[in-house]
Amino acid sequence: MTHSHSITAIVIGAGLSGLAAATELRDRNIPVTILEASDRVADPWRARHPKLRLNIHRHFARLPGHHEPRHHGTYLPRDAVVDYLSEYAAGLASDIQFETCVQSVHRLVGGWQVETNKGTYTCAHLIVATGREKEPDMPIWPGLDEFGGKVIHAADFEEPSSYDGKKVLVVGAGNSGSDVLNHLSRANPAQVWISVRNGPSILPTRIFGYPMHRMARLFSRTPKWALDPLMAGMQWMNFGNLRRHGLPRHRKGGGSRLINDGVTPALDDGFVKALKMGRFEVVGQAVGFSPYTVELADGHKVDPDVVICATGYQTGLEDLFGHLGALDKRGYPLCPAGQKDNRNPGLWFTGFGVSFEGFFYAAGVSATRLATSISAQNSQLSNERRTTRAAQLDPPQSLTLKGTLQ
């Protein structure tokens, strides 16, 4: 049996961006319901390997209306993130509908209709908070189905020690690829190859013992024209010429990639040292598979036991929102961080923008922006309704002329 629900605001997704948006809305007395496909909060985080750590300083890992994470470490481990999100969600528990999958979205006059496996919802404001990393992007190589080794996405990276004694090919050395390589540098794989097309912008985790990400505000306030040379200089100062070790430079700088492409710089935590010591080897772009080998663009072949694809993610928004003209050609929202979309009044996206301070901070900024806009619209609408109602209850009186006509 299905049911129909009418609510002022609906948030799709109970991740950190959805929870932040719901908190800001509720603080403004705007009724809100969160639709979450899984059966618990922070499910994607729980699925990641236990040694995972955030690349953002705990100072920037705070959500609106809540304290900083209490974990004493500089960079939060997976379990601390899960605990923090679970604690944060506890205050919104009555507003979260778990195991509720959105199946279609339709625009109505003055609002939105959301079809789910548990019924139909209508709302004036629909907030989409399903995240930038909804679906792992797996390349399709010729011969992949015939390969006898194991092929996984970086999202499914396992306990690092499980790769001990194995030959591993990591495809991609960006943010997620560098994270995988940092962990492998502390394990004992038999061989690690790094297949790259373009090298990453890579920065140290610490400079003279000071956490690099603690300087995020400095980067965010630096003029755009100065970011690329600043990051390139810091990379050179800390690591030297990595091209000597086979790692090419990207044609775009680290600042340009973050601002224009949403790609955050990678942080080194052992990867570069392993590369310089010869434990890791940079090889060409992977172009095809055979039953026992991976063919590279330069004609060479490698024979890994495991291939880890650090090849990015897709938003998975096209099926639900592609017909609305709200997405760019890559499937990312045109208004990614709580901005008003004039083409689709009442439709908001949050958690799809990036910032130097990290995704927790970005979630808070986006949530405040959209909640403030929605509150202002509601206030304006209420004032208009009061004015209309007052005019209906107290119509202007006709004038009566006194006296007699002569």
Side-chain angles (χ1 to χ4, degrees):
M1 180 177 179
T2 60
H3 303 275
S4 180
H5 313 268
S6 182
I7 299 159
T8 302
I10 289 175
V11 176
I12 303 177
L16 61 94
S17 294
L19 295 173
T23 296
E24 290 286 357
L25 289 167
R26 200 172 68 169
D27 285 350
R28 290 164 175 77
N29 297 316
I30 298 172
V32 60
T33 290
I34 306 172
L35 307 181
E36 170 55 42
S38 68
D39 62 354
R40 57 184 176 176
V41 170
D43 208 41
W45 288 99
R46 299 174 201 269
R48 304 300 290 270
H49 66 92
K51 296 262 177 86
L52 176 72
R53 283 184 177 271
L54 297 186
N55 283 339
I56 62 175
H57 193 282
R58 73 171 185 273
H59 174 76
F60 296 111
R62 185 180 71 83
L63 291 177
H66 209 50
H67 56 74
E68 284 185 19
R70 295 189 176 93
H71 192 273
H72 66 277
T74 302
Y75 298 101
L76 299 183
R78 180 201 69 176
D79 290 347
V81 176
V82 171
D83 291 344
Y84 184 81
L85 292 180
S86 299
E87 181 182 292
Y88 190 72
L92 293 161
S94 61
D95 299 323
I96 304 176
Q97 301 296 318
F98 289 106
E99 298 183 279
T100 305
C101 301
V102 175
Q103 299 167 336
S104 65
V105 171
H106 306 282
R107 181 161 39 195
L108 303 174
V109 176
W112 297 89
Q113 178 176 295
V114 181
E115 300 287 348
T116 77
N117 62 317
K118 292 189 176 180
T120 300
Y121 292 80
T122 57
C123 59
H125 297 277
L126 179 60
I127 298 96
V128 184
T130 50
R132 293 176 58 87
E133 301 182 353
K134 182 79 165 61
E135 299 176 357
D137 189 4
M138 286 289 287
I140 301 175
W141 287 284
L144 181 59
D145 292 341
E146 303 172 3
F147 183 61
K150 185 176 183 179
V151 182
I152 64 171
H153 192 271
D156 299 315
F157 183 70
E158 301 169 1
E159 163 66 39
S161 62
S162 67
Y163 301 96
D164 288 354
K166 296 180 180 178
K167 293 179 288 185
V168 181
L169 172 65
V170 178
V171 180
N175 197 339
S176 58
S178 293
D179 180 67
V180 166
L181 292 163
N182 285 333
H183 288 294
L184 289 176
S185 73
R186 294 186 287 275
N188 294 291
Q191 173 70 50
V192 174
W193 296 285
I194 310 165
S195 172
V196 294
R197 179 175 56 184
N198 298 301
S201 174
I202 186 164
L203 299 173
T205 303
R206 296 175 181 272
I207 294 182
F208 303 117
Y210 190 78
M212 167 60 73
H213 194 254
R214 199 66 174 85
M215 302 167 63
R217 287 280 165 79
L218 171 64
F219 287 111
S220 65
R221 294 170 181 170
T222 299
K224 292 181 180 179
W225 61 265
L227 283 171
D228 288 347
L230 173 63
M231 291 189 179
M234 295 182 74
Q235 178 173 312
W236 183 280
M237 179 181 69
N238 286 276
F239 306 124
N241 184 5
L242 293 180
R243 284 178 291 185
R244 294 174 52 192
H245 303 278
L247 196 65
R249 290 182 61 180
H250 199 283
R251 59 184 178 85
K252 292 184 180 180
S256 296
R257 295 195 73 198
L258 178 75
I259 294 170
N260 299 326
D261 303 330
V263 178
T264 56
L267 290 182
D268 168 67
D269 192 21
F271 157 38
V272 172
K273 182 178 179 180
L275 180 65
K276 290 183 174 182
M277 292 177 62
R279 292 182 58 209
F280 294 175
E281 178 186 355
V282 178
V283 296
Q285 182 182 356
V287 296
F289 283 67
S290 72
Y292 303 104
T293 63
V294 178
E295 182 179 350
L296 307 174
D298 58 8
H300 288 85
K301 296 181 179 181
V302 294
D303 58 339
D305 302 307
V306 183
V307 178
I308 302 173
C309 301
T311 46
Y313 297 81
Q314 296 180 350
T315 63
L317 294 173
E318 289 89 346
D319 288 346
L320 291 176
F321 303 100
H323 64 290
L324 298 171
L327 310 177
D328 64 19
K329 61 183 180 181
R330 300 179 302 152
Y332 285 85
L334 294 170
C335 300
Q339 302 96 335
K340 182 179 180 181
D341 184 351
N342 292 323
R343 294 170 300 277
N344 295 285
L347 179 63
W348 311 82
F349 292 90
T350 180
F352 297 92
V354 295
S355 73
F356 286 104
E357 291 88 349
F359 44 84
F360 275 80
Y361 178 85
V365 171
S366 180
T368 301
R369 180 184 291 134
L370 70 86
T372 300
S373 296
I374 291 173
S375 179
Q377 291 180 29
N378 286 354
S379 296
Q380 181 180 356
L381 184 60
S382 296
N383 290 336
E384 291 174 353
R385 287 173 176 169
R386 281 196 295 269
T387 300
T388 301
R389 194 160 49 244
Q392 293 171 341
L393 294 174
D394 187 22
Q397 300 295 317
S398 58
L399 296 176
T400 301
L401 296 178
K402 296 182 178 180
T404 60
L405 292 177
Q406 300 296 327

